[in-house]
Amino acid sequence: MALNYAFCKRAGDDALLQGVSNLLKSQNFADLVVTLGDPSWSLHKVILRARSQFFAKALEDDFREAQSSSIELHDDDPDVMGKMFYYIYHGEYDDAEIATTPMLVNVRMVAAAEKYFVDHLPGIATSKLDYYTERDNGWTTVGFADAIEEAYTTTADQGRQLRDTLLEVVLRHKSDLFDNKKPEFSYFQAMAVRTLGFAADVASALCRAPITPLYRCPSSNCSVVFRCEFGEADLLDWECPECGVAREDWKPIDWDDFMSTELDQVPQPSIDD
């Protein structure tokens, strides 16, 4: 029976990852100590140099850190750094076992990955953040607002992967998040006011958003004009909101033409929204 190449390749990759992962736990052959105040990690130069451009540079032979086999870090979150090192060895990390919210943890992981040039980590952290925004309506929580503010104030996000992900969530729920009659979103709205970069991105996105299509009733004795977001599949036998006649020949009309030639001649619907 012939062996399946894909299966053997996957098994080999899994064994390699498991072997590297075990090094972090066992500390066997560790040749570098990284300290951040009280916390410290016994790590392996070859692994850090392979996964982080920062450590690759710091551990070059002509740097003091390479000679002393120790690196002291400053101004970092110990929990986040621990998760970053775990990711370097495992290709994954747990974003739940920490005092703050998972959304905020993942923003901080992006910031750490940018600072220490850890490949692929920003994408992993951003995708995990995106998951939590919809899980249990995470976008309704204070943690979501905090994640946005920190994303805009602590990360460079040169590819805009993180900010665009957050912006997409905001635009999906903009009618609730920016409703000043809903006190549960007052914290979010206050954040939007003081986080100018975010406010500018929201304004720009709203300007680029497609305008809701404009329709005219095809019935000759009605011709009412209204806006509606229904798609092509919904147009079959759709009833006019004014005359109630079901038609199949609905077609959007051009807004500029309507404004320039027809606005004063077209009856408006009398029904409530």
Side-chain angles (χ1 to χ4, degrees):
M1 178 179 177
L3 293 175
N4 181 281
Y5 171 80
F7 173 81
C8 294
K9 174 79 165 54
R10 186 166 57 251
D13 292 343
D14 291 344
L16 175 61
L17 180 60
Q18 186 62 50
V20 173
S21 302
N22 287 339
L23 289 175
L24 181 63
K25 182 177 180 181
S26 69
Q27 299 183 11
N28 289 339
F29 313 112
D31 55 358
L32 177 70
V33 175
V34 177
T35 60
L36 177 57
D38 291 334
S40 64
W41 298 268
S42 296
L43 305 171
H44 304 78
K45 293 179 182 178
V46 65
I47 294 176
L48 290 186
R49 294 182 72 166
R51 297 302 306 278
S52 163
Q53 295 180 41
F54 171 89
F55 286 105
K57 187 68 175 179
L59 293 171
E60 289 182 354
D61 292 339
D62 52 348
F63 279 82
R64 177 177 57 83
E65 289 81 359
Q67 302 299 324
S68 64
S69 294
S70 66
I71 294 179
E72 185 176 352
L73 303 179
H74 305 276
D75 304 321
D76 290 306
D77 184 326
D79 290 326
V80 171
M81 293 304 297
K83 293 182 184 299
M84 188 189 80
F85 291 133
Y86 189 92
Y87 167 79
I88 286 175
Y89 281 78
H90 291 79
E92 183 57 280
Y93 62 91
D94 184 354
D95 51 16
E97 296 180 358
I98 196 170
T100 189
T101 66
M103 285 184 287
L104 202 52
V105 170
N106 286 300
V107 170
R108 292 173 180 174
M109 291 298 288
V110 172
E114 290 178 345
K115 180 177 180 179
Y116 293 102
F117 299 95
V118 180
D119 56 355
H120 304 297
L121 179 52
I124 293 288
T126 299
S127 63
K128 288 163 77 75
L129 169 63
D130 190 31
Y131 165 76
Y132 282 109
T133 60
E134 296 297 342
R135 178 185 174 183
D136 299 327
N137 290 326
W139 61 273
T140 66
T141 66
V142 168
F144 179 59
D146 289 340
I148 292 174
E149 184 169 15
E150 190 146 334
Y152 274 82
T153 55
T154 67
T155 70
D157 194 24
Q158 293 182 350
R160 289 201 56 89
Q161 189 176 47
L162 174 62
R163 296 182 187 186
D164 285 348
T165 296
L166 290 167
L167 196 59
E168 287 176 7
V169 178
V170 170
L171 294 178
R172 282 200 300 270
H173 303 287
K174 61 182 182 297
S175 59
D176 288 312
L177 290 169
F178 292 104
D179 188 344
N180 57 15
K181 295 180 181 178
K182 294 183 177 181
E184 61 268 32
F185 296 117
S186 59
Y187 186 90
F188 174 90
Q189 293 159 17
M191 176 279 299
V193 170
R194 65 176 177 267
T195 311
L196 300 183
F198 169 65
D201 279 351
V202 171
S204 177
L206 291 176
C207 289
R208 297 193 307 269
I211 299 175
T212 306
L214 196 66
Y215 293 88
R216 177 191 291 110
C217 178
S219 179
S220 59
N221 60 353
C222 179
S223 298
V224 71
V225 172
F226 59 95
R227 291 195 181 278
C228 186
E229 294 183 349
F230 51 57
E232 292 183 3
D234 301 317
L235 298 183
L236 297 178
D237 297 327
W238 200 84
E239 295 182 357
C240 172
E242 177 69 13
C243 68
V245 176
R247 303 288 297 244
E248 296 183 5
D249 50 348
W250 296 97
K251 293 182 179 179
I253 62 176
D254 184 82
W255 170 253
D256 291 333
D257 291 344
F258 168 70
M259 288 295 292
S260 62
T261 64
E262 304 181 47
L263 182 60
D264 295 333
Q265 307 173 26
V266 178
Q268 303 301 305
S270 59
I271 61 173
D272 295 331
D273 292 339

